[in-house]
Amino acid sequence: MTTSAEPGVTFDYAPAPESRSIVDIKASYGLFVDGEFVDGHGKAFKTVNPATEEVLAEIAEADDHDVDRAVKAARRAYDRVWSKMPGSERAKYLYRIARIIAERSRELAVLESIDNGKPIRESRDVDVPIVSAHFFYYAGWADKLKYAGFGEQPLGVAAQIIPWNFPLLMLAWKIAPALACGNTVVLKPAETTPLTALLFAEICQQADLPPGVVNIVTGAGGTGQALVGHSDVDKVAFTGSTEVGKAIARTVAGTTKRVTLELGGKAANIVFDDAPIDQAVEGIVNGIFFNQGHVCCAGSRLLVQESVAEDVLHRLKRRMSTLRVGDPLDKNTDIGAINSAEQLARIRELSDVGEAEGAARWSPACELPSHGYWFPPTLFTDVTQAHRIAREEIFGPVLSVLTFRTPAEAVAKANNTPYGLSAGVWTDKGSRILKMANELRAGVVWANTFNKFDPTSPFGGYKESGYGREGGRHGLEGYLR
Ligand code: NDP
């Protein structure tokens, strides 16, 4: 806690590291195909701890042959077992997986923080509990599909490709609804964060899930391409960059494959002059610095009403000065490591462009560790709508601040983006919240809060943020016919 009114002055905290002895990281990992770990035919690659650059393990890189083997296993399991099983029986497996995740939550949280760089506070209190909740939630749907309104038949084999920002959470968003509806899956985790997906494979074994219902193929973009292009895949579900999403849409065009795409964002977080300012400042901080800003729905554009802009910025800077950047396994840490050297380079480049284009850059004084990938919490003022930092997804702890005078101007600026994933509104007036929510072209609009996730709420975008919804009843639509 800090009592200082001056930026940069905080009390020192004693270190409070979470022990990593609970996780057992193997020297090397194979692919999970047909219920077993098998060797891949391709090369191996290394996964590193982004906070230390320590090599954690060697991971098999699945080639076309391995992907084919995984798709065949998924097809067999679909034809022979999973699509024929009553929903009430499928539900039992999902409930079992949900319970095992809850039982092994500390192990999953520590492993996620080590492989991804996110603070243990977030993996422990946000990611893993929502992962378990997601399996519980969709277990409940498995025997009630006829009431969902999207048909009762599964699609078949789902190819699922996920990014590195929420490795286990994105896995849950993909696998839980697919399995509940009777589909089988082949999932590719991101190259830099494969470890929790491989631990999830062990959980599938522990839950006695029939072999082939879940298959995990690790690898890089080439593995993803082979999976998307495989002729026996019925459904492609992708979360990641808009660029790769477009490439996937091109690959499946003209085929019968169904597709859902959850892509990038550049969300506006809009603060009106009647908002409770301290609460809004917490929401701004949570909106952009949660998970190092590696969040597709991050509130990366702050739109603040001109009459309160000075006050908001003053309090925001003071609050940013209390954020602790460092060891992801320390329970006091607010901002962990940037996930990879490539992502760090991208954040640096776009921030440099922001300065070069004339925006004013500010970060609190903060000491960064000497090893690993780090970036301080940063904000830019004097930003115009034409600046690249106001238009492109930076995917890091970087906030662009713009101002507005009227609600109409706020809406116009918020919607002036190729994306449409999320938005936030901070105001005292319920009627204004409802009006704004109607006018903002964003799949999710948070009111007086930000980055709240719940398995019962649908999530997804408009425009270049993709199509299809994940979560809630709507999340079943992409897996039923
Ligand atoms: P990508 O879109 O490349 O990665 C997402 C997933 O797709 C990964 O599993 C990746 O594998 C895989 N992939 C890569 N190329 C292909 C392909 N041609 N066909 C099929 N699958 C593929 O994102 P990056 O990790 O490269 O991040 C780049 C930028 O994208 C970030 O800076 C950020 O702006 C944005 N991004 C947005 C996300 C979001 O949720 N909106 C999530 C992640 C990134 P591999 O990991 O091996 O590359």
Side-chain angles (χ1 to χ4, degrees):
M1 199 186 91
T2 179
T3 55
S4 166
E6 292 302 311
V9 183
T10 56
F11 287 123
D12 280 341
Y13 273 33
E18 176 76 38
S19 165
R20 60 182 273 180
S21 63
I22 194 166
V23 298
D24 172 25
I25 302 178
K26 299 180 180 65
S28 65
Y29 288 85
L31 312 167
F32 185 65
V33 176
D34 215 9
E36 293 175 2
F37 284 94
V38 299
D39 291 337
H41 290 80
K43 294 176 292 193
F45 64 94
K46 294 179 172 54
T47 184
V48 303
N49 178 340
T52 59
E53 300 176 56
E54 163 205 7
V55 173
L56 295 168
E58 291 232 333
I59 310 292
E61 181 169 354
D63 66 7
D64 293 9
H65 177 83
D66 298 316
V67 167
D68 183 51
R69 195 159 48 141
V71 173
K72 285 200 168 95
R75 175 60 61 191
R76 268 196 310 276
Y78 177 77
D79 288 341
R80 294 180 192 169
V81 187
W82 201 246
S83 65
K84 296 200 162 66
M85 194 183 278
S88 55
E89 291 301 311
R90 290 198 303 270
K92 290 179 188 169
Y93 287 101
L94 291 175
Y95 279 125
R96 203 181 288 167
I97 289 170
R99 281 197 303 271
I100 298 172
I101 289 168
E103 280 161 20
R104 299 181 70 172
S105 58
R106 198 156 81 85
E107 187 183 352
L108 287 161
V110 171
L111 188 60
E112 193 79 310
S113 282
I114 293 173
D115 203 21
N116 170 279
K118 66 175 70 201
I120 186 73
R121 200 165 57 79
E122 292 177 4
S123 49
R124 183 196 61 196
D125 298 347
V126 182
D127 297 52
V128 178
I130 305 181
V131 169
S132 173
H134 226 80
F135 279 96
F136 274 120
Y137 175 75
Y138 279 109
W141 269 114
D143 62 348
K144 303 174 193 71
L145 298 175
K146 66 177 169 202
Y147 305 110
F150 301 121
E152 288 177 63
Q153 295 305 314
L155 303 177
V157 174
Q160 305 186 315
I161 298 176
I162 56 171
W164 42 263
N165 52 342
F166 292 94
L168 201 57
L169 188 57
M170 291 301 104
L171 174 150
W173 282 24
K174 297 278 178 286
I175 292 184
L179 263 47
C181 295
N183 304 274
T184 56
V185 309
V186 180
L187 176 126
K188 191 198 91 66
E191 188 182 359
T192 58
T193 53
L195 292 182
T196 45
L198 294 165
L199 184 51
F200 178 81
E202 286 178 29
I203 289 173
C204 292
Q205 289 178 323
Q206 193 183 341
D208 276 333
L209 190 71
V213 172
V214 167
N215 305 273
I216 312 268
V217 290
T218 42
T223 304
Q225 259 174 324
L227 187 53
V228 170
H230 195 289
S231 59
D232 203 25
V233 155
D234 301 296
K235 153 87 189 188
V236 176
F238 172 79
T239 298
S241 62
T242 296
E243 189 193 343
V244 173
K246 285 180 180 172
I248 288 175
R250 280 193 294 273
T251 305
V252 300
T255 72
T256 56
K257 290 175 193 170
R258 293 258 297 265
V259 189
T260 41
L261 300 173
E262 201 269 88
L263 310 175
K266 192 75 190 174
N269 201 0
I270 305 167
V271 179
F272 285 98
D273 58 4
D274 63 344
I277 300 294
D278 284 330
Q279 211 176 309
V281 165
E282 286 308 307
I284 296 164
V285 166
N286 177 44
I288 185 63
F289 302 122
F290 171 64
N291 204 38
Q292 295 73 246
H294 300 328
V295 183
C296 46
C297 52
S300 53
R301 283 185 300 150
L302 173 63
L303 296 184
V304 56
Q305 197 151 17
E306 208 172 89
S307 50
V308 290
E310 202 180 314
D311 187 21
V312 168
L313 277 173
H314 174 72
R315 295 199 223 185
L316 177 60
K317 286 181 176 176
R318 193 173 62 190
R319 179 66 179 92
M320 283 172 66
S321 303
T322 69
L323 293 172
R324 290 178 160 77
V325 184
D327 181 4
L329 286 186
D330 191 312
K331 291 167 207 152
N332 295 322
T333 294
D334 297 304
I335 300 183
I338 300 303
N339 180 250
S340 64
E342 293 73 34
Q343 188 59 27
L344 179 59
R346 184 177 156 79
I347 297 168
R348 283 185 176 149
E349 185 203 326
L350 271 169
S351 299
D352 291 347
V353 167
E355 259 181 304
E357 288 186 341
R361 178 178 184 157
W362 182 87
S363 290
C366 87
E367 250 176 67
L368 300 178
S370 53
H371 294 285
Y373 316 127
W374 305 95
F375 199 85
T378 299
L379 71 77
F380 280 96
T381 46
D382 300 334
V383 179
T384 73
Q385 296 182 80
H387 284 156
R388 280 182 63 193
I389 53 168
R391 309 198 62 76
E392 295 181 29
E393 188 176 45
I394 301 176
F395 226 59
V398 182
L399 178 67
S400 299
V401 183
L402 298 100
T403 57
F404 67 91
R405 289 183 184 168
T406 63
E409 189 186 347
V411 169
K413 284 185 169 169
N415 288 341
N416 182 11
T417 167
Y419 295 111
L421 194 53
S422 63
V425 180
W426 297 83
T427 172
D428 204 25
K429 294 186 185 61
S431 54
R432 181 175 276 167
I433 290 170
L434 295 174
K435 188 169 187 321
M436 293 295 289
N438 269 338
E439 292 179 0
L440 292 168
R441 291 296 293 161
V444 179
V445 180
W446 283 292
N448 293 327
T449 187
F450 209 94
N451 275 341
K452 282 270 182 259
F453 305 99
D454 188 284
T456 64
S457 301
F459 183 91
Y462 293 110
K463 303 195 282 186
E464 295 211 357
S465 294
Y467 40 80
R469 293 292 177 265
E470 295 185 292
R473 182 184 66 87
H474 301 71
L476 297 165
E477 186 175 13
Y479 292 99
L480 287 172
R481 63 190 153 93

